[in-house]
Amino acid sequence: MTRKDFRIFMMAHPRKIEDIFEDADLARLHALGEVTINRGSSISDEEFNAQARDCHVIMGQFDMPAERLDQCPNLRTIINLEGNFLPNIDYKHCFRKGVRVLSVSHVFAEPVAEIAVGIAIDLGRGISRSDRLMRRREERWGLEANQNALSLYDAKVGFLGFGDLGRALLPLLKPFRTSFKIYDPWIPEMVIEQAGGAAAGMDEVLATSDFVFVLAGATQDNQGFLGAREFGLMRDGAAILLLSRASVVNFPEMLEVARSGRIKIATDVYPDEPLPKDDPTRDVENLLHSPHQAGALTSVLKHIGRGVASDVELVARGLPPMVCKQAQPETAARFRSKPVEQS
Amino acid sequence: MTRKDFRIFMMAHPRKIEDIFEDADLARLHALGEVTINRGSSISDEEFNAQARDCHVIMGQFDMPAERLDQCPNLRTIINLEGNFLPNIDYKHCFRKGVRVLSVSHVFAEPVAEIAVGIAIDLGRGISRSDRLMRRREERWGLEANQNALSLYDAKVGFLGFGDLGRALLPLLKPFRTSFKIYDPWIPEMVIEQAGGAAAGMDEVLATSDFVFVLAGATQDNQGFLGAREFGLMRDGAAILLLSRASVVNFPEMLEVARSGRIKIATDVYPDEPLPKDDPTRDVENLLHSPHQAGALTSVLKHIGRGVASDVELVARGLPPMVCKQAQPETAARFRSKPVEQS
Amino acid sequence: MTRKDFRIFMMAHPRKIEDIFEDADLARLHALGEVTINRGSSISDEEFNAQARDCHVIMGQFDMPAERLDQCPNLRTIINLEGNFLPNIDYKHCFRKGVRVLSVSHVFAEPVAEIAVGIAIDLGRGISRSDRLMRRREERWGLEANQNALSLYDAKVGFLGFGDLGRALLPLLKPFRTSFKIYDPWIPEMVIEQAGGAAAGMDEVLATSDFVFVLAGATQDNQGFLGAREFGLMRDGAAILLLSRASVVNFPEMLEVARSGRIKIATDVYPDEPLPKDDPTRDVENLLHSPHQAGALTSVLKHIGRGVASDVELVARGLPPMVCKQAQPETAARFRSKPVEQS
Amino acid sequence: MTRKDFRIFMMAHPRKIEDIFEDADLARLHALGEVTINRGSSISDEEFNAQARDCHVIMGQFDMPAERLDQCPNLRTIINLEGNFLPNIDYKHCFRKGVRVLSVSHVFAEPVAEIAVGIAIDLGRGISRSDRLMRRREERWGLEANQNALSLYDAKVGFLGFGDLGRALLPLLKPFRTSFKIYDPWIPEMVIEQAGGAAAGMDEVLATSDFVFVLAGATQDNQGFLGAREFGLMRDGAAILLLSRASVVNFPEMLEVARSGRIKIATDVYPDEPLPKDDPTRDVENLLHSPHQAGALTSVLKHIGRGVASDVELVARGLPPMVCKQAQPETAARFRSKPVEQS
């Protein structure tokens, strides 16, 4: 296909093109063909027909029902630029027509994995607690500051969920000589073993781990699967980090446990964000708060553009995309992520 | 040598035998020969002559001048159980007599390396700052919480000093695809390269690194070597972590820089510990405080006992010790650590 | 779906069911539903209709033209048990109908990677040559045996092709501190960089590498892409290993180069296998011969069964397969592997 | 110490200065002080007094009895440039006088580790055997070539001895997901565990390993410790590689086992080197021969010079050497290496 025959349509809203594309990566797209950018926040049928209908690649989070899909004779790939598979697309229709649907969620795996390591060490070694006590003139020193400390070295680590995030986190923990028990009902035991972990049931992971990382995306099947019973299985003094979606946890029960001080808890996600100012959980001593900042780095957003450009280059050459995450017919309908508000 | 001929003397003060030896490791020592334990805080010449003089291994931090050394015909090894080479021993006399002097400082390398990773991620990603702001009802969310964030991934890392701590820290950072520039005037370029780093001058390390880890032990040559000029070389927004000894830094100048907010700073050590309650540095927003808790874990102290038992077993068999750190004739006189107060 | 509704059909020819399935893995399939096994070497339409037509999973290498596909209302997945995507299937028709086509080629990546390391060290250090010379009473000793030796340590390594095999090989070479230049026109630069290599053109890879690993599968585009010109780009004394398909090399020109002794060459594949007894290349001193044994381990065949059972379990639960390699609409038509004769 | 006060003496025989020093490394020595090079093969007392007596560093393998040592008032370090601690030096006298004795044996660890990996894969996968059979027109193809193949992947690996060589070899094997059982009576269990292995008795290592690497240097205690009884403990089809010293094995009994074909054997060392032409072991099909070529690479010899220059720079600055291996009072008398003949 020659350059003039290839057409790309982009509407990044609620992101901004400039936030996710370096100039060099935009230039790569322009080198492939004709690029139309819509900077609005919604697209009318008229605009759609004028700008997107003939394109081979469509990027954006706007509605793509069967009716629109059927008007796109050249369409090969739709790319969500936010980071999740949202219900804006008629996935079944895409699969029937051989249109690939991609998301850029993979770029968030590394920054979340990084902060997961930082938060785990913080829970285990009391970094933010000691800093807080220093400011309150209440700190203790040396050995006494480390009462009940928990080290990652030689620790038993549990993962609930083993997708991109788990795969990014595992190699960061390995140098601490940790062992891994992993629960993910969608992943074969064999895949977990090849990654260096041991497959286990959820209860076993909770009951035997020093550090539990909650990494499971929200699906229709796992709403609130972590509650009082599950936290109750954990060892005294163990740590649990909620890094994926608030909806997988029974939040009030988690806060109850946090208040008890029996286990160490951190969360990056909340049922309502931002958390109301008067929410009393803000003052729970034994809960490390992170205002949904795990994945949302400016520097990471630029990785979106590089990955998208790489995949669109492949698509333009008639090759399958390799960088972005691809929606699968079997699972596309099961995810339950909400659209994010500019994050 | 038969069991009844081998004698061991231990006076752990200011540590406690029970803090550093598991029962199993004490049993290993008892299996080697006769073990005498003195639980006091000082030892008179009379006690010394009665308890330690004939021993093959002496453990403790009490005075060992030439006069006492000359009274110990069987002595092969002296082990400091605190963690540094202190000026309590006539090192020259030991070397002349073929007495090895060991310390257990190596056990602190891993816990300090662990917290160094946690603090680095905290400085870069604002973990404790965001938690503090959540408690103050002043936090920002998502992308906005991550303004000026600095990621370890693909970061340029600088080490000032490359001893046990640097060697423990380096493999924890490698999975982040960091590159390493290392300054240590005592270590050949070749050794640094084999470890996976690049040797560089101190100014270059400071000027080019995203994260600078200050890991240099205190010597007679490096008092206050990091001051306003050196901090001034660092990039805007870069991070520096002081993890070894407060004396290598010009502390007032460091605090000045912290107040400016130009770079991110964390310290685990202070010129006077504990820091006075009214010290104004406690309130500096841009300084992460850690009350000398990096190495002092209860769980780590038990590693002392295991390492000591391993080395004393070797000594009893006429083999060189392998686990503890050994004083070297060339450098023993240069270290300037102060005795620690029960940490 | 209940167990009694799920149906699996297997015809392993030219493999044997027992070679590729452990009892435990066969039992996993039987636990999923009704399993029909055909031990013949071909399947008539009559047999097909009776045994395979209603199945959800069909395994085998027999013909699956559109006509047969259209008779399979439940079919979700076809699995080739040999190891390549062969032209026995109407791929386009499968993609249209949402039928996934899998192959088990991934299981061969590790054994080939292993022998690639062994052969590379053999070429570099002369293991088989020295053994041969010992048997001829012509060996040299010590330093003299190592004239022109080439070490993997700190070597510049080049890959031509970066699929499963390259990904398996790369971590085996990394501990030798090798650097990697990788040429693969189907793989984005970004993917190569994330794996730890640098993307480069083919000529650059050839001209700058100490060891070149030819890992490219045969496609319609790369027949004979390595010939006299390309070998001529290589450094004196460098080594090249042909591990994928003979058809990517101009074999006569490669043999010419081998005879010259200018570079070190090994091959595991030949245009005609077995190589005729009277083929004069058998006696070329400077060519390491491997009779297509790189991937074909009995122990590896059992991995096929485990992977297949894992993926069929996922399919039975309505989830996407994760272990086997999946045919992609864009590339399925481009591969040019020949059916293997029982290997 | 100023440059003009520092003196270095070198007599490399039986090596050649040019073989072990790059120009740049020689220049580093010259930059430190006055360098005297003796190119002869022995040194008279007269020469010694004129050339070496006042030196701070003496390099060479010539006799250094107490009488000569006592004539060297400045001597701090003696460096053996061949690679072993030989009985040419009065070690006790050195230790008494505080003279360090170094050897460059560490440089051979990596090349031997490399060829050990190559030979292990060769034994397991039949690389040289298949090449030999190709030349004889007797080869088999594909699966049949791999009868009794043994893969390093997931293999149980045993080390007999865990010095420099074991430490270099272990990280090369780890990517194959091997487990390690290690026998070394001089090394504490704790050190072995920290390296990622499990300490075990010799019989257990032999009886449970797929691959046994014999890495033990020759000492007064381990002559012929591997004989018929020990080989008899090994599993059918397991592999054993003799890479250190021939004297640790009962060679006739090893050959008997090799002839039986019950286990796979390779050796790089022989009781008499070169092996006589008429030695019948040359024709044993099931024994991989390597003519003492494991460590002796031209390229490796240059590493000697770089390491020596690095250490002498430290010595000149009054610091302890860090690169070369240091003789220890406890073990110096136990090693039993013979001087090598130019290798």
Side-chain angles (χ1 to χ4, degrees):
Chain A
M1 179 172 301
T2 64
R3 186 193 169 286
K4 76 184 222 313
D5 296 325
F6 195 72
R7 292 197 192 86
I8 300 168
F9 175 75
M10 304 168 71
M11 189 171 91
H13 176 82
R15 298 208 186 279
K16 298 197 189 96
I17 296 284
E18 291 68 26
D19 285 348
I20 55 179
F21 283 94
E22 305 265 13
D23 289 349
D25 292 321
L26 265 189
R28 290 164 68 188
L29 296 180
H30 283 288
L32 294 173
E34 189 183 321
V35 180
T36 303
I37 297 178
N38 182 325
R39 295 183 179 275
S41 61
S42 67
I43 184 166
S44 65
D45 283 345
E46 208 159 59
E47 282 178 301
F48 182 86
N49 287 341
Q51 296 174 352
R53 192 175 52 184
D54 293 332
C55 287
H56 300 78
V57 175
I58 289 178
M59 306 186 204
Q61 293 71 246
F62 53 85
D63 283 347
M64 285 294 285
E67 296 71 36
R68 283 190 171 173
L69 288 166
D70 283 338
Q71 291 176 47
C72 299
N74 300 323
L75 184 60
R76 298 198 205 143
T77 303
I78 301 174
I79 308 180
N80 179 305
L81 297 172
E82 265 194 272
N84 292 294
F85 294 116
L86 303 175
N88 62 316
I89 299 176
D90 186 330
Y91 288 92
K92 274 197 191 160
H93 210 66
C94 285
F95 297 126
R96 254 191 314 262
K97 295 172 68 83
V99 171
R100 292 187 187 269
V101 184
L102 311 182
S103 92
V104 296
S105 61
H106 63 285
V107 303
F108 301 109
E110 290 197 344
V112 180
E114 175 184 55
I115 209 167
V117 172
I119 291 177
I121 297 175
D122 189 303
L123 286 184
R125 303 291 306 278
I127 296 170
S128 61
R129 186 191 57 205
S130 280
D131 178 77
R132 184 163 68 244
L133 295 176
M134 287 285 284
R135 292 169 195 276
R136 284 198 210 149
R137 280 71 180 155
E138 295 173 5
E139 84 282 0
R140 290 193 284 185
W141 287 76
L143 265 182
E144 297 198 3
N146 271 310
Q147 300 296 354
N148 308 314
L150 189 62
S151 171
L152 269 179
Y153 277 103
D154 301 306
K156 295 178 198 302
V157 165
F159 285 2
L160 300 180
F162 193 58
D164 286 346
L165 174 49
R167 282 161 211 272
L169 179 54
L170 197 141
L172 303 185
L173 297 176
K174 268 193 180 166
F176 292 96
R177 300 185 300 262
T178 49
S179 60
F180 297 90
K181 285 196 180 162
I182 297 176
Y183 168 69
D184 191 322
W186 291 16
I187 310 280
E189 185 179 306
M190 186 181 176
V191 171
I192 289 171
E193 285 176 16
Q194 281 172 346
M202 184 177 71
D203 286 5
E204 182 184 344
V205 169
L206 288 163
T208 61
S209 297
D210 300 310
F211 292 86
V212 176
F213 294 86
V214 184
L215 312 174
T219 72
Q220 60 192 14
D221 305 323
N222 68 6
Q223 305 293 302
F225 77 99
L226 278 175
R229 190 193 79 85
E230 286 71 28
F231 292 111
L233 294 171
M234 291 180 65
R235 298 174 174 184
D236 287 356
I240 187 164
L241 295 80
L242 178 55
L243 294 158
S244 50
R245 296 286 165 222
S247 66
V248 304
V249 167
N250 181 319
F251 225 76
E253 293 182 8
M254 185 178 88
L255 295 174
E256 198 62 33
V257 178
R259 280 197 188 88
S260 79
R262 200 182 68 78
I263 58 174
K264 304 171 171 81
I265 305 185
T267 186
D268 186 56
V269 287
Y270 297 83
D272 294 299
E273 299 181 0
L275 188 67
K277 297 282 187 202
D278 59 354
D279 191 299
T281 68
R282 290 173 175 268
D283 303 311
V284 174
E285 192 67 9
N286 193 44
L287 179 63
L288 181 67
H289 286 286
S290 178
H292 207 140
Q293 68 178 6
L297 263 74
T298 312
S299 59
V300 165
L301 295 188
K302 300 290 187 186
H303 294 183
I304 295 178
R306 193 174 181 209
V308 165
S310 298
D311 271 355
V312 177
E313 283 175 349
L314 292 171
V315 171
R317 294 170 56 206
L319 291 169
M322 295 192 59
V323 177
C324 294
K325 201 160 186 68
Q326 304 195 23
Q328 301 294 336
E330 295 88 343
T331 49
R334 302 195 186 197
F335 286 106
R336 278 291 172 276
S337 289
K338 296 179 295 184
V340 287
E341 309 283 326
Q342 176 61 13
S343 70
Chain B
M1 182 173 299
T2 66
R3 186 193 169 284
K4 77 185 220 316
D5 295 326
F6 194 73
R7 292 198 191 83
I8 300 167
F9 175 76
M10 306 168 68
M11 189 170 90
H13 177 82
R15 298 208 186 278
K16 297 199 189 93
I17 295 285
E18 291 68 26
D19 285 347
I20 53 180
F21 283 95
E22 304 265 11
D23 289 349
D25 292 320
L26 263 189
R28 290 165 68 189
L29 295 180
H30 283 288
L32 294 174
E34 191 184 318
V35 180
T36 303
I37 297 178
N38 182 324
R39 294 183 180 277
S41 61
S42 68
I43 184 166
S44 64
D45 284 345
E46 208 160 59
E47 281 177 303
F48 181 85
N49 287 341
Q51 296 174 352
R53 191 175 52 184
D54 294 333
C55 287
H56 300 78
V57 175
I58 288 177
M59 306 186 204
Q61 292 71 247
F62 53 85
D63 284 347
M64 285 294 285
E67 297 71 36
R68 281 189 172 173
L69 288 166
D70 283 338
Q71 291 176 47
C72 300
N74 299 323
L75 184 60
R76 298 198 204 143
T77 303
I78 300 174
I79 308 179
N80 179 304
L81 296 173
E82 265 194 274
N84 291 294
F85 293 116
L86 303 175
N88 62 316
I89 299 176
D90 186 331
Y91 288 91
K92 275 196 191 161
H93 210 67
C94 286
F95 297 125
R96 252 189 318 261
K97 295 172 66 84
V99 171
R100 292 186 187 271
V101 183
L102 311 182
S103 92
V104 297
S105 62
H106 62 285
V107 303
F108 301 109
E110 290 196 345
V112 179
E114 174 185 54
I115 211 167
V117 172
I119 292 176
I121 297 174
D122 189 303
L123 286 184
R125 303 291 306 277
I127 295 171
S128 61
R129 184 192 59 205
S130 280
D131 178 78
R132 184 163 70 242
L133 294 175
M134 287 285 284
R135 293 170 195 276
R136 283 198 210 148
R137 279 73 181 155
E138 295 173 5
E139 83 281 1
R140 290 194 284 185
W141 288 77
L143 265 183
E144 298 199 2
N146 271 310
Q147 300 297 352
N148 308 316
L150 188 64
S151 171
L152 269 180
Y153 276 103
D154 302 305
K156 296 179 197 300
V157 164
F159 286 0
L160 300 180
F162 192 58
D164 286 346
L165 174 48
R167 283 163 209 270
L169 179 54
L170 197 141
L172 303 185
L173 296 175
K174 269 194 179 164
F176 292 96
R177 301 184 301 262
T178 48
S179 61
F180 297 91
K181 285 198 181 161
I182 297 176
Y183 168 68
D184 190 322
W186 292 16
I187 310 280
E189 186 179 304
M190 186 181 176
V191 171
I192 289 171
E193 284 176 16
Q194 281 172 345
M202 183 176 72
D203 285 5
E204 184 185 343
V205 169
L206 288 163
T208 62
S209 298
D210 300 309
F211 291 87
V212 176
F213 293 86
V214 184
L215 311 174
T219 73
Q220 62 191 14
D221 305 323
N222 69 5
Q223 305 293 302
F225 77 98
L226 279 175
R229 190 193 79 86
E230 287 70 28
F231 292 111
L233 295 170
M234 291 181 65
R235 298 176 174 180
D236 286 355
I240 187 164
L241 295 80
L242 177 55
L243 294 158
S244 51
R245 296 285 166 223
S247 66
V248 304
V249 167
N250 182 319
F251 225 76
E253 293 182 7
M254 183 177 90
L255 295 175
E256 199 62 33
V257 178
R259 280 199 188 85
S260 80
R262 199 182 69 80
I263 57 173
K264 303 172 172 81
I265 306 185
T267 186
D268 185 56
V269 286
Y270 297 83
D272 292 298
E273 299 182 1
L275 188 67
K277 298 282 187 201
D278 59 356
D279 191 298
T281 68
R282 290 172 174 270
D283 303 311
V284 174
E285 193 68 8
N286 194 43
L287 179 62
L288 181 67
H289 286 286
S290 178
H292 207 142
Q293 69 178 4
L297 263 74
T298 312
S299 60
V300 165
L301 295 189
K302 300 291 187 187
H303 295 183
I304 294 178
R306 196 178 177 205
V308 165
S310 298
D311 271 355
V312 177
E313 283 174 350
L314 291 172
V315 170
R317 293 170 56 206
L319 292 168
M322 295 192 58
V323 177
C324 294
K325 202 159 187 68
Q326 304 195 24
Q328 301 293 336
E330 295 88 345
T331 49
R334 302 195 185 196
F335 287 107
R336 279 290 174 274
S337 288
K338 296 179 296 185
V340 288
E341 309 283 326
Q342 175 62 13
S343 67
Chain C
M1 181 172 298
T2 64
R3 187 193 168 285
K4 78 186 220 315
D5 295 325
F6 194 73
R7 292 196 193 86
I8 300 167
F9 175 75
M10 307 168 68
M11 190 170 91
H13 176 82
R15 299 211 186 277
K16 295 196 190 98
I17 295 284
E18 290 69 26
D19 284 348
I20 55 180
F21 283 95
E22 305 265 11
D23 289 349
D25 292 319
L26 263 189
R28 289 165 69 188
L29 295 180
H30 283 288
L32 295 173
E34 192 184 318
V35 180
T36 303
I37 297 177
N38 182 326
R39 296 185 177 275
S41 60
S42 68
I43 183 167
S44 65
D45 283 344
E46 206 160 62
E47 281 178 303
F48 182 86
N49 288 341
Q51 297 174 351
R53 191 174 52 182
D54 294 332
C55 286
H56 300 78
V57 175
I58 288 178
M59 306 185 205
Q61 292 71 248
F62 53 86
D63 283 348
M64 284 295 286
E67 297 71 35
R68 281 188 171 175
L69 287 166
D70 283 337
Q71 290 176 49
C72 299
N74 300 322
L75 185 61
R76 297 197 206 145
T77 303
I78 301 174
I79 308 179
N80 178 305
L81 297 173
E82 265 193 273
N84 292 294
F85 293 117
L86 304 174
N88 61 315
I89 298 177
D90 186 330
Y91 288 91
K92 274 197 192 162
H93 209 66
C94 286
F95 297 125
R96 253 192 314 264
K97 295 172 66 84
V99 171
R100 293 185 186 271
V101 183
L102 310 182
S103 92
V104 296
S105 62
H106 62 285
V107 304
F108 302 109
E110 290 197 344
V112 179
E114 174 184 53
I115 210 167
V117 173
I119 291 176
I121 297 175
D122 189 303
L123 286 184
R125 304 291 307 277
I127 296 171
S128 61
R129 184 192 58 206
S130 279
D131 177 79
R132 184 163 70 242
L133 294 176
M134 287 285 283
R135 293 169 194 275
R136 283 197 210 148
R137 280 73 180 156
E138 295 173 5
E139 84 280 1
R140 291 193 284 184
W141 287 76
L143 265 183
E144 297 199 2
N146 271 310
Q147 300 297 353
N148 308 315
L150 189 62
S151 172
L152 269 179
Y153 277 102
D154 300 305
K156 295 179 198 300
V157 165
F159 285 2
L160 300 180
F162 192 59
D164 286 346
L165 173 49
R167 282 161 210 272
L169 178 54
L170 197 141
L172 303 184
L173 296 175
K174 268 194 180 165
F176 292 95
R177 301 185 299 261
T178 48
S179 60
F180 297 90
K181 285 197 181 160
I182 297 177
Y183 168 69
D184 191 322
W186 291 16
I187 310 278
E189 185 178 305
M190 185 180 176
V191 171
I192 289 171
E193 284 176 16
Q194 281 172 345
M202 183 176 72
D203 285 5
E204 183 184 343
V205 169
L206 288 163
T208 61
S209 298
D210 299 310
F211 292 87
V212 176
F213 293 87
V214 185
L215 312 174
T219 73
Q220 62 192 12
D221 305 322
N222 69 5
Q223 305 293 303
F225 76 98
L226 279 175
R229 190 193 78 86
E230 287 70 29
F231 292 112
L233 295 170
M234 291 181 66
R235 298 175 174 182
D236 286 355
I240 186 164
L241 295 80
L242 177 55
L243 294 158
S244 52
R245 297 286 166 223
S247 66
V248 304
V249 166
N250 182 319
F251 226 77
E253 293 182 8
M254 183 177 90
L255 294 175
E256 199 62 33
V257 177
R259 280 197 189 86
S260 80
R262 199 182 69 78
I263 57 173
K264 303 171 173 79
I265 304 184
T267 186
D268 185 57
V269 287
Y270 298 83
D272 293 298
E273 298 182 1
L275 189 67
K277 297 284 188 202
D278 59 355
D279 191 297
T281 68
R282 290 172 175 269
D283 303 311
V284 175
E285 192 69 8
N286 192 44
L287 179 63
L288 181 67
H289 286 288
S290 178
H292 207 142
Q293 67 178 5
L297 264 75
T298 311
S299 60
V300 165
L301 295 188
K302 300 290 188 187
H303 295 183
I304 294 178
R306 194 175 178 208
V308 165
S310 297
D311 271 355
V312 177
E313 283 174 349
L314 291 171
V315 170
R317 292 171 56 208
L319 292 169
M322 296 193 58
V323 178
C324 294
K325 202 161 187 66
Q326 303 195 25
Q328 301 294 336
E330 294 88 345
T331 48
R334 302 195 186 196
F335 286 107
R336 280 289 175 277
S337 288
K338 296 178 296 185
V340 289
E341 309 283 327
Q342 174 62 13
S343 67
Chain D
M1 181 173 302
T2 64
R3 188 193 168 284
K4 76 186 220 315
D5 296 325
F6 194 73
R7 293 197 192 86
I8 299 167
F9 175 76
M10 304 168 69
M11 188 170 93
H13 177 83
R15 297 209 186 279
K16 296 196 190 97
I17 295 283
E18 291 68 26
D19 285 347
I20 55 179
F21 283 94
E22 305 267 10
D23 289 348
D25 292 320
L26 264 189
R28 290 165 68 188
L29 295 180
H30 284 288
L32 294 173
E34 189 183 320
V35 180
T36 303
I37 296 178
N38 182 325
R39 295 185 178 276
S41 60
S42 68
I43 183 166
S44 65
D45 284 343
E46 208 160 60
E47 283 178 301
F48 182 86
N49 288 341
Q51 297 174 353
R53 192 174 52 182
D54 293 332
C55 287
H56 300 78
V57 175
I58 289 178
M59 306 186 205
Q61 291 71 247
F62 52 87
D63 284 346
M64 283 295 285
E67 296 72 35
R68 282 189 170 172
L69 288 167
D70 283 338
Q71 291 176 46
C72 299
N74 300 322
L75 184 61
R76 298 199 205 143
T77 303
I78 301 174
I79 308 180
N80 178 305
L81 296 172
E82 265 194 272
N84 290 294
F85 294 117
L86 303 175
N88 63 315
I89 299 177
D90 185 332
Y91 288 91
K92 274 196 193 163
H93 208 68
C94 286
F95 297 126
R96 255 191 313 263
K97 294 172 67 83
V99 172
R100 292 187 187 269
V101 183
L102 311 181
S103 92
V104 297
S105 60
H106 63 285
V107 304
F108 301 109
E110 290 197 344
V112 179
E114 175 184 53
I115 210 167
V117 173
I119 291 177
I121 297 175
D122 189 304
L123 287 184
R125 303 290 307 278
I127 296 171
S128 60
R129 183 191 59 206
S130 280
D131 178 78
R132 184 162 71 243
L133 294 176
M134 286 286 283
R135 293 168 195 277
R136 284 197 209 149
R137 279 72 179 156
E138 295 173 6
E139 84 282 0
R140 290 194 286 186
W141 287 75
L143 265 183
E144 297 198 2
N146 271 310
Q147 300 297 352
N148 307 316
L150 189 63
S151 172
L152 269 179
Y153 277 102
D154 302 304
K156 294 178 198 302
V157 165
F159 284 2
L160 300 180
F162 193 58
D164 286 345
L165 174 49
R167 281 162 211 271
L169 178 54
L170 197 141
L172 303 186
L173 296 176
K174 268 194 180 164
F176 293 96
R177 301 185 299 263
T178 48
S179 61
F180 297 90
K181 284 197 181 162
I182 297 177
Y183 168 68
D184 191 322
W186 291 15
I187 310 280
E189 185 178 305
M190 186 181 175
V191 171
I192 289 171
E193 284 176 15
Q194 281 172 346
M202 183 176 73
D203 285 6
E204 184 185 343
V205 169
L206 289 163
T208 62
S209 298
D210 299 310
F211 291 86
V212 176
F213 293 86
V214 184
L215 312 173
T219 72
Q220 61 192 14
D221 305 322
N222 69 6
Q223 305 292 303
F225 77 97
L226 278 175
R229 190 193 78 85
E230 287 70 29
F231 292 111
L233 295 171
M234 291 181 65
R235 298 175 175 182
D236 287 355
I240 186 164
L241 294 81
L242 177 55
L243 294 158
S244 51
R245 296 286 166 223
S247 66
V248 305
V249 166
N250 182 320
F251 225 76
E253 292 181 9
M254 185 178 89
L255 294 176
E256 197 63 31
V257 178
R259 280 196 190 88
S260 79
R262 199 183 69 79
I263 58 174
K264 304 172 171 81
I265 305 184
T267 186
D268 186 56
V269 287
Y270 297 83
D272 294 298
E273 297 181 2
L275 188 68
K277 297 283 188 203
D278 59 355
D279 190 298
T281 70
R282 290 172 173 268
D283 303 310
V284 174
E285 192 68 10
N286 193 45
L287 178 63
L288 182 67
H289 286 287
S290 178
H292 207 140
Q293 69 178 5
L297 262 75
T298 311
S299 59
V300 165
L301 295 189
K302 300 291 188 188
H303 295 184
I304 294 178
R306 195 177 178 206
V308 164
S310 298
D311 271 355
V312 176
E313 283 175 349
L314 291 171
V315 170
R317 292 172 56 207
L319 292 169
M322 294 192 59
V323 178
C324 294
K325 202 160 187 67
Q326 304 195 24
Q328 301 294 335
E330 295 88 343
T331 48
R334 301 195 186 196
F335 287 107
R336 280 288 174 276
S337 289
K338 297 179 294 184
V340 288
E341 310 282 328
Q342 175 63 11
S343 70

